[in-house]
Amino acid sequence: MAKNPNRSGRAPSQRQLRVGELIRRTLSETLQRGDIHDPDLTSMSITVSEVRVSPDLRVATAYVLPLGGKGAEEAQAALRRNRYELRRIIGKALQIKHSPEIRFEVDDTFDRMDSTRRMFADENVQRDLRDQPEDD
């Protein structure tokens, strides 16, 4: 995925993980119900796969992908246009002191998995794997 918003290089805290998951659920439910009054956004089915939150909980990066993977840039643009309304909904649902700034990134996990599958299916890689001695 993209750069980790946790710049210290440490693993995210339990609080970051919990808040990230709550934001992910809230975003998913909001998009599924069509609570945002943007025809471009309501016409898309968007998956929110993960939300990473900064250590100070002020920035949340949501990794999103439209169903089927087509129109990712359009979905990202529509989400960015409506980020203030989404931020208000998240702040209301989470009931935390400061509602985090929401950033949207296209989730490229499936593309990377496909690329890895293609690499392992390559004839040269298969040959190298077959020729590798087994460690018993």
Side-chain angles (χ1 to χ4, degrees):
M1 283 194 202
K3 293 179 185 176
N4 187 346
N6 187 356
R7 298 193 194 290
S8 65
R10 291 178 288 194
S13 69
Q14 285 297 315
R15 187 170 185 212
Q16 284 174 271
L17 293 172
R18 188 174 54 247
V19 170
E21 180 59 20
L22 288 171
I23 292 171
R24 187 196 69 76
R25 260 192 248 149
T26 303
L27 274 174
S28 293
E29 290 169 2
T30 300
L31 294 171
Q32 183 181 17
R33 286 191 310 257
D35 290 348
I36 304 298
H37 304 290
D38 182 338
D40 294 335
L41 203 53
T42 55
S43 68
M44 296 181 208
S45 182
I46 298 174
T47 301
V48 182
S49 58
E50 181 182 7
V51 175
R52 294 184 186 171
V53 182
S54 65
D56 63 359
L57 305 180
R58 299 233 180 218
V59 178
T61 304
Y63 295 91
V64 297
L65 191 66
L67 191 63
K70 292 180 179 32
E73 298 303 320
E74 293 83 9
Q76 189 178 22
L79 288 165
R80 284 182 178 155
R81 273 195 316 271
N82 294 285
R83 71 180 174 268
Y84 298 113
E85 188 174 356
L86 289 165
R87 183 178 184 177
R88 182 187 57 76
I89 291 169
I90 289 168
K92 198 172 171 182
L94 268 58
Q95 297 179 348
I96 55 179
K97 187 173 183 178
H98 297 285
S99 182
E101 172 191 340
I102 309 294
R103 297 178 183 168
F104 296 97
E105 296 293 331
V106 175
D107 186 3
D108 65 345
T109 304
F110 295 110
D111 293 337
R112 287 186 290 130
M113 285 179 10
D114 287 343
S115 174
T116 303
R117 272 194 210 104
R118 280 193 302 275
M119 180 185 71
F120 279 117
D122 182 73
E123 189 176 306
N124 294 326
V125 174
Q126 288 293 319
R127 183 188 65 234
D128 290 345
L129 290 172
R130 277 193 308 271
D131 295 344
Q132 197 173 40
E134 288 187 29
D135 293 333
D136 287 30

